[in-house]
């Protein structure tokens, strides 16, 4: 359900669409899309996209964009070759609906994706606080995460142990959240874990340092924008996609038309942290 604020933001961004598209053609980069849940809910939830909407998005990407894995994105960002436009798909938190609803669509359109999981969510001892009162099974079990990791084109990344605000923790706690989650995912799934996702996008120089120290090749944030060869590999930018995004909105976001508005919202968010 769109609010008047979201309508204003969308109108402004769509007005910028032609200029952003021209700039994107002149300065190509890799845009990483951020999804969370793919499910049918009775009311609007910013973190949830319906399977029908998600399929519209993936169909468009498969037909009109060069879609690559996060691993390939990192390789291209560190190469000496010419920068080419591309899109990568990611999911946060490790929801069970990623397996039930998103995976069949990803496989249908041959789109690779990285799913960032929180280890205590997989233990079923903790869940995302946003859905604390949800009754049904919400997050992937370790067995389901392991099955997902074996699917072609699917890679797992770490989203910490308990999904805390990292900046509010001690050095020892931050190091544990970052390094232990990687160890546990590798131990329980047998898959390599090369990428980290900062919970709630909360990070600073200290947190980024611990991510590098833990051996991750790259890390993603919630800072909006496109990634180019000058973007720090442990501070990769992403573009959030919601249920309210039609294919036209998706095209505008891919062009960068929403980046200015998203950056303003992000700066306000950082001040809250």
């Amino acid at each position: 359900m769109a609010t008047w604020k979201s309508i204003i933001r969308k109108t402004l961004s769509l007005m910028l669409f032609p200029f952003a598209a021209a700039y994107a053609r002149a300065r190509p980069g890799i845009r990483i899309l951020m999804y969370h849940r793919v499910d049918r809910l009775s009311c609007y939830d910013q973190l949830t996209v319906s399977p029908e909407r998600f399929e519209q998005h993936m169909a468009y990407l498969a037909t009109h964009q060069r879609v690559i894995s996060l691993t390939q994105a990192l390789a291209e960002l560190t190469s000496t070759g010419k920068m080419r436009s591309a899109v990568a798909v990611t999911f946060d938190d490790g929801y069970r609906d990623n397996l039930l609803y998103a995976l069949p669509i990803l496989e249908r359109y041959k789109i690779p994706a990285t799913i960032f999981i929180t280890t205590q969510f997989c233990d079923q001892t903790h869940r995302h606080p946003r859905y604390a009162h949800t009754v049904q099974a919400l997050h992937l079990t370790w067995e389901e995460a392991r099955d997902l990791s074996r699917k072609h084109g699917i890679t797992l990344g770490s989203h910490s142990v308990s999904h805390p605000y990292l900046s509010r923790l001690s050095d020892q706690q931050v190091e544990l959240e970052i390094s232990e989650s990687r160890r546990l995912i590798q131990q329980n799934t047998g898959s390599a874990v090369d990428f980290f996702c900062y919970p709630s996008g909360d990070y600073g120089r200290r947190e980024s340092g611990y991510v590098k120290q833990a051996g991750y090749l790259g890390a993603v944030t919630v800072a909006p924008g496109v990634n180019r060869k000058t973007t720090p590999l442990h501070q990769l930018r992403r573009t959030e996609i919601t249920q309210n995004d039609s294919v036209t909105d998706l095209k505008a976001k891919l062009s960068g038309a929403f980046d200015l508005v998203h950056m303003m919202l992000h700066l306000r968010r950082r001040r809250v942290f």
Side-chain angles (χ1 to χ4, degrees), residues 94-100 103 115 117 121-124 137-151 154-156 188-189 191:
Y95 294 100
R96 191 164 181 263
D97 54 53
N98 293 174
L99 172 65
L100 297 178
L103 179 64
I115 298 174
I117 62 176
F121 293 173
C122 283
D123 289 338
Q124 308 300 310
L138 190 65
H139 297 286
L140 294 164
T141 65
W142 281 118
E143 183 178 1
E144 290 169 335
R146 185 166 55 252
D147 289 344
L148 257 178
S149 71
R150 294 170 179 170
K151 299 295 185 181
I154 301 296
T155 56
L156 299 182
N188 283 282
T189 67
S191 61

Side-chain angles (χ1 to χ4, degrees), residues 3 32 43 54 57 60 71 73 94 102 138 145 163 168 174 186 200 207 227 259 269:
T3 65
I32 303 173
C43 58
F54 184 68
H57 293 169
Y60 174 79
T71 300
L138 190 65
H163 203 285
R168 302 176 186 178
V174 170
Q186 291 179 154
S200 303
E207 291 73 33
N227 298 284
D259 285 355
R269 176 193 185 95

Side-chain angles (χ1 to χ4, degrees), residues 30-36 54 57-58 60-61 65 67-68 70 86-92 111-114 116 220-221 225 227 237-242 245 249-255 259 262:
I30 297 173
R31 190 166 293 271
I32 303 173
L33 303 185
M34 174 175 61
Y35 289 92
H36 288 78
F54 184 68
H57 293 169
M58 296 304 103
Y60 174 79
L61 294 181
Q65 299 289 323
V67 187
I68 61 177
L70 207 51
V87 178
V89 175
T90 65
F91 296 83
D92 287 10
I111 290 179
T114 297
F116 293 103
V220 298
T221 71
N227 298 284
R237 299 174 175 274
R238 289 192 297 171
T239 300
E240 183 179 23
I241 307 298
T242 74
D245 291 323
D249 298 324
L250 176 64
K251 291 167 61 176
K253 285 189 172 183
L254 291 171
S255 76
D259 285 355
H262 285 175

Side-chain angles (χ1 to χ4, degrees), residues 21 32 70-71 84-85 96 214 236 260 266:
I32 303 173
L70 207 51
T71 300
R84 299 172 60 201
S85 293
R96 191 164 181 263
L236 296 173
L260 178 61
H266 179 66

Side-chain angles (χ1 to χ4, degrees), residues 17-136:
F17 188 4
F19 307 100
Y23 185 75
R25 286 193 294 271
R27 293 200 63 202
I30 297 173
R31 190 166 293 271
I32 303 173
L33 303 185
M34 174 175 61
Y35 289 92
H36 288 78
R37 302 188 63 187
V38 178
D39 202 352
R40 298 180 184 89
L41 301 183
S42 58
C43 58
Y44 174 77
D45 172 33
Q46 185 176 338
L47 300 188
T48 304
V49 174
S50 70
E52 293 77 16
R53 179 68 86 186
F54 184 68
E55 179 154 18
Q56 291 172 0
H57 293 169
M58 296 304 103
Y60 174 79
L61 294 181
T63 306
H64 297 90
Q65 299 289 323
R66 188 171 72 96
V67 187
I68 61 177
S69 67
L70 207 51
T71 300
Q72 180 63 27
L74 201 70
E76 295 190 12
L77 289 170
T78 55
S79 75
T80 57
K82 185 178 180 181
M83 192 82 248
R84 299 172 60 201
S85 293
V87 178
V89 175
T90 65
F91 296 83
D92 287 10
D93 303 331
Y95 294 100
R96 191 164 181 263
D97 54 53
N98 293 174
L99 172 65
L100 297 178
Y101 301 118
L103 179 64
I105 296 171
L106 292 168
E107 291 182 326
R108 187 175 306 135
Y109 293 98
K110 297 180 173 58
I111 290 179
T114 297
I115 298 174
F116 293 103
I117 62 176
T118 299
T119 60
Q120 285 188 357
F121 293 173
C122 283
D123 289 338
Q124 308 300 310
T125 59
H126 189 50
R127 62 170 54 200
H128 196 291
R130 185 185 186 94
Y131 307 106
H133 303 294
T134 303
V135 176
Q136 77 265 28

Side-chain angles (χ1 to χ4, degrees), residues 159-183:
H159 202 30
S160 79
V161 172
S162 64
H163 203 285
Y165 289 102
L166 293 175
S167 65
R168 302 176 186 178
L169 303 182
S170 68
D171 289 352
Q172 184 179 12
Q173 290 172 315
V174 170
E175 183 178 15
L176 182 68
E177 287 282 346
I178 292 170
S179 62
E180 184 67 0
S181 59
R182 184 172 190 247
R183 185 190 71 80

